Amino acid sequence: MSEDAGGGNVEAELSRDMGLLPITFIGVGAMIGAGVFALTGQAAGLAGPALLLAFLCNGIVASFTAMSYAELGAAFPRSGGAYNWVSEALPRPWGFFTGWANWFAQAVACALYSVTFGVFFMAFVSIIITGGATTEGAHFLGIAQHLWAKGIAAVVVAFFGYVNYRGAEETGTIGIVVTSAKIIILAIFVLFGALATFQDPNWTGKFIGQHGFFATGASGVMAAMGFTYVAFEGYDIIVQSGEEVIDPGVNIPKAIFYSIIVVIPIYILVAFAALGGIDVTQHILELAGLSDPGTPTYVILGNLGELGIIQAAGQFVPYGLPLLLIAGLAATMSALNATLYASSRIAYSMSRDKLLPDALSDIHPETRSPHYAIAVSAVLIAVMALSLPINSVASSSSVMFLLLFSMVNIALIFMRRNRPDLERPFEVPAFPYTPALGVIFQLILAPFLLSSLGLGIGEEGFVSVVTMLVWFAIGVAVYYGYSEARERERMEEEAPTVVHERTPTGRETQILVPIANPEHAEQFMRTAVDVATDRDAEILVMSVVTVPQQTPLEQGRQFVDEKRAVLEEAMTVAEEADVPVNGTVRIGHDVAQAILNTITQEESDAVLMGWRGRSRRRDFVLGSNLDTVVTDADCDVLVEKVGASADGDVDSIFLPTAGGPHAELAAEVARAVARTESATVDVAHVVAPGADAEERADAEERIESTMAALEDIETDRELIEGRDIADTIVEHAGDHDLTVIGATRESLLQQLTFGAIPEEVGRRVSTPVVMAKRNLGIKSWLQRWFSRT
């Protein structure tokens, strides 16, 4: 939020007053939340004694994604976390929907913790009043117990909403107190559980008994991992506080790793104490609904479900039931505090980027907290806690966290390529294998999570799926009905534009031509003129003045005149051809982002970029700016490499085709140039030597479909045999003045920009080459992720 006072801009921002200790405790408090109490028993039933291994493996698997969080959180110490990173690394609207999903996931988790707090609180009250646990359907003061629990949930959400409103320092302080109490009680549980375990001379039988350590097999271990994996998501909450952390480049990575190092042994020790310390008595069997005294302890814990370790504590810990309930209350409070904090910071960050209403990014002048974002998040949480079957809806939150973790790993991979000069206080080792493994492990665990939660089966799964679909449907409506237009406003504010000779042209179609190298401007403009004439479009020529990240954008205005002459010379080419043309100089910190912002704001239909044809570098395919624009532009993309032997005349055009929308765009470009230059077009397709009749017929169909766009143009068609497609195209391209080639039909993992074949052809052919990539909209992004374009 900014205020205009006395002619100057006064910007309100969050106060950095959280050190390493409070932020670490926020992460630990989120990880050792209700999960350690509610999930351990059920997980024991899934994995058997190998639950110890499941917790260890989950900690290791979580570390792969945690390292991605550490690098990105240190490099971008801002509220919003994954939302900010995906917004930086991937095209619109991935960032919005990542933030939207994360907001929901944190809010649902918080609602779950609040309801769990209410249940634990009522159980604690019951012990005080009656001396024992309540029975299902119990009433207090004439009101059903579950309604009491819901009401208490709303009260505790309001309380922690106030705590968060008081500021980050108070939030961190109470997090330290509550989490410390919880750890102390769990330490008592582990101590007495270990004593009870080792007092039994046959204690090893509880871990390696008749069915062995892997009593339920490898599938049981994986099911337990999927079921409990989200219990390690506390590092997502740590990065949400990046804007309020002292020395975030150092403290955020430390807090992430310290919290994981603390949590892993706690989970393992709690599981060990529960499995080994519980005694198979008639009372505990009755509580578990069992009768066989030879029943393994992991089966008993599984049947006890969310009350597993609490009932175990009642056996071997003095005053175990009330003590563990106190720990459960502390656990739910610290987790509730952390998730409410995180959800409000996500809403704050999205509002600051104009994706949500401005009020949500308003900072209270005294507490320095985003008070409206906190209030809205608290209301959302309370409504879900009061009105929804929260245990069912919570499963959808777990699924969203897995999707979120995967997106963060993917964002890191793209960020390394798109922002190589970004200052990174911490770097993920063994890149890109570490984030890739993070994605792979998430994909492996996803089906086990779904099966353990019963998603898609019965009422619980139905409610979970419907809730997710409704939330995303609301998100789609919010984005396209409100956020998209506001996002364009933000882009204009962040990258001011200086416009020269801008006059209305009356044409609805526009081709954007960024000019970086004046030596090749004439050739690019001739191509742009040909395409604009064919499309009845106007041309917008642009140049970018870049200033360092730490320099205000306004300082770039002093360099605008240097770009003016370049634009005017380029515009002359279009004016002489009687094609409407305008010129724009944009000031920004990043060339690629300035071009993308212009495409969005001007609603350009195509962009024509120039390429020097340099060899592939380690981090880039065509070059850092080109790679970003080609990958992220929401319009047709043409990239032209001026050949060393180019003399400006085009008599013959080579058009290798593989069919599809990209080939159709390439044919349109070839047609446009051929009409102006009176050139012939040679349409060709490469087949392997010895290709059978079916393959040759398919090739002929592809040629025929491409030639349909070349009406009134003199054409030749050719079926070429060659063992290597790129080598064959390069060999034949040398006999023509211009080669036009469409992007290849490859999956995203293979296709970084245009695809291997067009890029190889562009590098090796000495005559000019134009590579064409059709804009396929949102659908194309989904296809590029999951299938073939």
Side-chain angles (χ1 to χ4, degrees):
M1 181 190 74
S2 62
E3 300 174 354
D4 193 2
N9 288 327
V10 179
E11 185 173 318
E13 58 183 21
L14 302 176
S15 176
R16 292 193 182 275
D17 50 19
M18 296 182 70
L20 177 60
L21 186 63
I23 192 58
T24 301
F25 270 79
I26 281 181
V28 172
M31 292 187 198
I32 309 178
V36 71
F37 300 93
L39 301 183
T40 301
Q42 298 177 64
L46 293 170
L51 175 62
L52 281 67
L53 179 63
F55 280 142
L56 175 62
C57 291
N58 263 354
I60 295 172
V61 170
S63 297
F64 288 101
T65 299
M67 282 190 275
S68 295
Y69 269 84
E71 176 173 324
L72 293 171
F76 295 92
R78 301 199 298 260
S79 295
Y83 152 70
N84 284 317
W85 311 331
V86 175
S87 297
E88 288 278 349
L90 298 174
R92 300 178 302 115
W94 286 111
F96 172 86
F97 287 113
T98 296
W100 188 254
N102 197 5
W103 190 21
F104 172 83
Q106 297 287 4
V108 172
C110 189
L112 173 63
Y113 297 143
S114 67
V115 173
T116 304
F117 176 89
V119 171
F120 283 178
F121 184 85
M122 292 307 301
F124 185 76
V125 170
S126 175
I127 290 176
I128 295 175
I129 296 176
T130 67
T134 58
T135 59
E136 185 176 355
H139 287 65
F140 289 94
L141 301 179
I143 300 175
Q145 177 181 333
H146 74 278
L147 294 179
W148 277 105
K150 290 276 190 177
I152 292 169
V155 171
V156 77
V157 168
F159 170 74
F160 278 103
Y162 176 76
V163 170
N164 275 262
Y165 159 75
R166 294 301 305 168
E169 186 175 4
E170 285 75 9
T171 302
T173 300
I174 197 168
I176 292 175
V177 173
V178 172
T179 302
S180 298
K182 177 174 52 179
I183 292 176
I184 291 172
I185 294 176
L186 286 177
I188 294 172
F189 173 85
V190 170
L191 175 62
F192 280 95
L195 290 174
T197 299
F198 296 131
Q199 286 175 358
D200 183 354
N202 299 317
W203 69 270
T204 55
K206 296 179 179 180
F207 298 93
I208 53 173
Q210 180 181 357
H211 300 290
F213 184 70
F214 295 96
T216 62
S219 61
V221 175
M222 294 299 295
M225 289 180 63
F227 184 66
T228 61
Y229 181 70
V230 293
F232 290 85
E233 60 86 20
Y235 47 75
D236 179 65
I237 295 175
I238 291 174
V239 300
Q240 303 295 347
S241 59
E243 212 157 329
E244 296 155 276
V245 176
I246 301 169
D247 194 7
V250 173
N251 286 333
I252 287 179
K254 283 184 177 181
I256 289 174
F257 295 123
Y258 289 169
S259 60
I260 291 178
I261 290 171
V262 169
V263 165
I264 292 175
I266 288 177
Y267 269 110
I268 294 173
L269 290 172
V270 167
F272 177 85
L275 287 165
I278 193 170
D279 190 16
V280 185
T281 64
Q282 186 62 34
H283 175 67
I284 203 74
L285 286 172
E286 290 176 359
L287 289 175
L290 301 167
S291 58
D292 184 3
T295 302
T297 56
Y298 69 84
V299 175
I300 295 174
L301 287 171
N303 279 31
L304 290 172
E306 65 273 8
L307 295 177
I309 69 168
I310 292 177
Q311 294 292 354
Q315 280 194 329
F316 55 75
V317 179
Y319 304 101
L321 283 177
L323 190 64
L324 262 290
L325 281 173
I326 291 173
L329 290 170
T332 51
M333 282 194 296
S334 61
L336 191 158
N337 178 52
T339 49
L340 175 56
Y341 175 91
S343 64
S344 66
R345 269 37 178 193
I346 296 166
Y348 163 77
S349 187
M350 294 179 71
S351 168
R352 188 173 54 183
D353 290 344
K354 297 188 180 299
L355 295 175
L356 295 177
D358 292 341
L360 296 180
S361 57
D362 188 28
I363 301 297
H364 194 278
E366 295 180 4
T367 65
R368 309 290 285 177
S369 63
H371 52 295
Y372 290 128
I374 293 170
V376 170
S377 294
V379 169
L380 175 65
I381 292 164
V383 168
M384 287 193 290
L386 291 171
S387 62
L388 295 176
I390 201 65
N391 289 328
S392 298
V393 180
S395 60
S396 60
S397 174
S398 300
V399 175
M400 285 193 176
F401 273 123
L402 278 186
L403 296 175
L404 177 71
F405 298 153
S406 297
M407 288 301 297
V408 168
N409 285 299
I410 292 169
L412 175 66
I413 294 173
F414 275 79
M415 194 74 74
R416 284 284 190 97
R417 181 168 62 89
N418 297 341
R419 300 286 299 275
D421 300 327
L422 181 69
E423 183 179 352
R424 294 174 168 85
F426 170 82
E427 290 192 2
V428 171
F431 179 87
Y433 304 106
T434 299
L437 285 173
V439 176
I440 292 170
F441 284 132
Q442 252 81 246
L443 295 176
I444 292 174
L445 288 177
F448 292 99
L449 170 64
L450 296 174
S451 63
S452 66
L453 294 172
L455 263 181
I457 302 175
E459 181 180 354
E460 176 179 340
F462 177 77
V463 172
S464 301
V465 172
V466 169
T467 302
M468 283 191 291
L469 292 178
V470 168
W471 182 255
F472 274 112
I474 295 173
V476 170
V478 170
Y479 181 77
Y480 289 105
Y482 173 83
S483 305
E484 186 179 30
R486 296 295 310 280
E487 190 174 30
R488 291 179 183 175
E489 294 179 15
R490 175 177 61 85
M491 290 178 178
E492 293 175 354
E493 293 174 1
E494 289 181 349
T497 303
V498 182
V499 181
H500 305 285
E501 302 179 27
R502 192 66 189 275
T503 57
T505 66
R507 298 194 179 184
E508 297 182 355
T509 306
Q510 182 190 89
I511 299 172
L512 178 67
V513 185
I515 300 294
N517 187 348
E519 296 179 5
H520 299 151
E522 182 179 354
Q523 176 61 41
F524 298 149
M525 287 300 297
R526 289 178 59 183
T527 302
V529 165
D530 292 343
V531 176
T533 301
D534 186 71
R535 292 191 175 194
D536 192 29
E538 69 173 19
I539 296 175
L540 177 61
V541 186
M542 73 169 293
S543 190
V544 181
V545 174
T546 57
V547 294
Q549 290 285 343
Q550 65 272 19
T551 302
L553 292 174
E554 290 296 323
Q555 296 297 318
R557 291 184 180 273
Q558 60 184 304
F559 304 105
V560 167
D561 288 341
E562 298 178 10
K563 300 292 185 179
R564 186 196 303 267
V566 175
L567 289 184
E568 290 176 347
E569 183 177 350
M571 291 168 64
T572 300
V573 177
E575 291 167 349
E576 291 176 351
D578 200 25
V579 172
V581 62
N582 285 300
T584 296
V585 177
R586 179 171 287 272
I587 306 171
H589 295 303
D590 180 83
V591 172
Q593 193 59 50
I595 295 173
L596 292 173
N597 289 353
T598 304
I599 292 171
T600 299
Q601 293 161 20
E602 299 291 339
E603 298 183 346
S604 302
D605 299 279
V607 59
L608 172 62
M609 303 278 289
W611 179 37
R612 300 181 185 179
R614 291 177 174 175
S615 299
R616 178 191 290 256
R617 293 174 52 190
R618 175 185 175 187
D619 297 321
F620 308 115
V621 179
L622 305 179
S624 58
N625 293 325
L626 267 176
D627 280 6
T628 301
V629 174
V630 171
T631 303
D632 297 351
D634 188 20
C635 67
D636 293 344
V637 178
L638 306 176
V639 172
E640 179 170 5
K641 188 202 77 169
V642 177
S645 60
D647 58 8
D649 296 326
V650 178
D651 296 321
S652 63
I653 300 172
F654 185 47
L655 181 62
T657 181
H662 305 307
E664 292 173 1
L665 177 59
E668 293 172 13
V669 174
R671 178 187 66 202
V673 177
R675 280 179 175 170
T676 303
E677 302 289 338
S678 300
T680 60
V681 179
D682 183 5
V683 184
H685 183 85
V686 180
V687 297
D692 58 28
E694 183 178 351
E695 292 172 328
R696 291 177 181 274
D698 178 68
E700 292 288 353
E701 289 181 6
R702 294 177 187 239
I703 292 175
E704 190 66 32
S705 66
T706 300
M707 292 183 67
L710 297 170
E711 55 184 359
D712 302 327
I713 301 298
E714 183 180 349
T715 59
D716 292 321
R717 57 191 299 160
E718 187 174 5
L719 198 60
I720 308 172
E721 291 190 355
R723 297 188 181 279
D724 184 277
I725 297 177
D727 288 345
T728 306
I729 293 176
V730 169
E731 179 182 351
H732 284 72
D735 299 329
H736 299 78
D737 301 313
L738 173 67
T739 299
V740 184
I741 184 170
T744 53
R745 298 184 296 177
E746 300 174 1
S747 67
L748 180 61
L749 294 178
Q750 298 168 310
Q751 182 179 319
L752 294 179
T753 50
F754 284 93
I757 294 172
E759 292 153 13
E760 184 70 14
V761 170
R763 282 191 190 86
R764 294 170 56 189
V765 173
S766 59
T767 52
V769 176
V770 175
M771 295 180 286
K773 192 172 189 179
R774 175 79 78 187
N775 176 37
L776 302 179
I778 295 177
K779 179 181 178 182
S780 70
W781 286 103
L782 297 175
Q783 288 176 326
R784 288 173 61 194
W785 281 111
F786 300 114
S787 60
R788 305 175 77 84
T789 61

